[in-house]
Amino acid sequence: MSISALNSYLPKPCAPSRPCARPPRATPTKLFSQPPTLASLSDPHVLRLAETLEDSIASSSCPPPLQKLRDISSQSLLTTPWPSRKDEPFRFTDTSFIRNSEVHPVTLAPTQNLDALSGLADSISPNIAIIDGYLVESLSNLSELPDGVFVGRLSDLNSKGLMDKVSKYVSNFQGDLFWSLNGVGAPDVVLVYVPEGCKVEKPLHLRFVSMNRSYKGSKSLPISNPRVLVLVEKGGDIGIVEEYVGGDGDDRCYWTNSVMEVVLSDGAKVSHSYIQTQSLGAAHVKWTSVCQVGSFAPTS
């Protein structure tokens, strides 16, 4: 069941009743057009936000693993409330800034004002630029990657065997509200694949840049939902540097809601580093999930 479908079951405001010359007959009141079990467990604020994210995603067809991710995430959000300080994982985290903001997704890949970022691809290491959740190839440089390594959009993948692997392991772990919001709102998945026995000598640099920002006090909060899936086959080895940039030292507002899933086969290795130089007014939510499996199925 989609978020928008469930919203149709939530109670709507009733129109004022007209004056009646005689007392109306008592009739049962139905608040839902279908059994209200799910709706009664749902958080209306979460559903509105999830529906906004759903509506922001392009309606064109997407790869099966991406559709699977969106379906699993939508289903999870039907019964996931907004967290409070009473929830142990958020006991020391105040999320009221996000909840009280007017959240709106960045809906299009950036095409303007990229000149200031032209130096991002000038690096001694292979690197990609993810701007407001969208991979921008013109600001990326992957020329030094070994043969067999794939780094790019899931929607650009043309290997059925590898696509089947991704479908098996995408969203293999179930996180919290923000994990699922990312799954609903991610425009695509950035896939990093390292084949068996391959060692990537130089670390892969993932730069996440927030360009859509609002002014402090406006209550507007642009959100991006970058999602990365890393699959490393038996004996593979890669270093990954995640860097988040967005107005270092200023107080412009935005929300980066990021997820990285790492799946390792036997003897595989990933070295991971994390850098943040973000705005003082930014909200940053980050999930990193690491899963080890015995071996991947063969690709075709």
Side-chain angles (χ1 to χ4, degrees):
M1 181 182 297
S2 69
I3 300 296
S4 57
L6 180 63
N7 267 342
S8 66
Y9 306 151
L10 294 175
K12 304 295 189 298
C14 297
S17 58
R18 295 180 179 179
C20 185
R22 59 184 178 183
R25 289 182 296 174
T27 56
T29 301
K30 295 183 179 181
L31 296 179
F32 304 92
S33 57
Q34 293 194 15
T37 305
L38 282 177
S40 64
L41 298 174
S42 301
D43 184 329
H45 178 78
V46 171
L47 294 183
R48 284 192 294 270
L49 177 55
E51 187 173 13
T52 298
L53 293 173
E54 275 190 341
D55 292 344
S56 72
I57 299 300
S59 58
S60 57
S61 62
C62 64
L66 183 55
Q67 188 59 55
K68 173 190 172 185
L69 170 64
R70 291 173 179 170
D71 291 343
I72 291 174
S73 300
S74 294
Q75 191 69 28
S76 172
L77 289 170
L78 296 178
T79 54
T80 303
W82 191 270
S84 72
R85 293 287 188 93
K86 295 180 180 179
D87 300 306
E88 181 61 29
F90 294 89
R91 191 155 60 100
F92 302 106
T93 304
D94 184 3
T95 62
S96 60
F97 168 68
I98 298 175
R99 183 181 176 90
N100 296 329
S101 296
E102 297 173 1
V103 177
H104 58 89
V106 179
T107 56
L108 295 173
T111 57
Q112 299 178 340
N113 303 321
L114 297 180
D115 292 344
L117 304 176
S118 58
L120 289 181
D122 299 333
S123 172
I124 61 174
S125 297
N127 60 87
I128 62 173
I130 302 172
I131 314 298
D132 290 326
Y134 294 85
L135 192 155
V136 179
E137 293 177 336
S138 63
L139 300 176
S140 305
N141 183 359
L142 300 172
S143 59
E144 295 192 25
L145 288 177
D147 292 341
V149 175
F150 178 87
V151 177
R153 303 180 191 90
L154 180 61
S155 57
D156 292 337
L157 185 64
N158 55 19
S159 166
K160 182 182 183 301
L162 186 50
M163 188 70 79
D164 290 342
K165 288 184 182 181
V166 173
S167 185
K168 180 178 180 180
Y169 293 110
V170 69
S171 200
N172 199 41
F173 169 81
Q174 188 60 49
D176 63 4
L177 167 72
F178 300 105
W179 171 283
S180 297
L181 288 174
N182 174 282
V184 170
D188 208 331
V189 174
V190 175
L191 175 64
V192 179
Y193 171 73
V194 180
E196 182 174 341
C198 178
K199 179 178 175 61
V200 181
E201 296 292 340
K202 296 181 179 179
L204 174 64
H205 198 156
L206 311 181
R207 289 190 176 95
F208 300 83
V209 182
S210 297
M211 293 187 64
N212 278 268
R213 297 173 289 162
S214 64
Y215 288 98
K216 187 176 181 180
S218 68
K219 293 203 70 176
S220 174
L221 189 65
I223 179 177
S224 62
N225 290 282
R227 195 174 190 106
V228 179
L229 174 64
V230 181
L231 297 180
V232 185
E233 296 269 18
K234 182 178 180 180
D237 190 343
I238 188 172
I240 294 177
V241 178
E242 285 186 90
E243 181 179 6
Y244 290 83
V245 181
D248 182 23
D250 69 20
D251 60 356
R252 299 280 289 277
C253 300
Y254 56 91
W255 176 13
T256 302
N257 185 40
S258 182
V259 169
M260 173 179 281
E261 294 179 273
V262 180
V263 183
L264 305 171
S265 187
D266 288 336
K269 181 180 178 181
V270 171
S271 302
H272 181 247
S273 302
Y274 197 80
I275 303 170
Q276 277 184 267
T277 53
Q278 294 187 285
S279 162
L280 299 177
H284 184 86
V285 180
K286 177 65 165 69
W287 260 99
T288 302
S289 166
V290 181
C291 171
Q292 188 167 18
V293 298
S295 61
F296 296 146
T299 59
S300 58

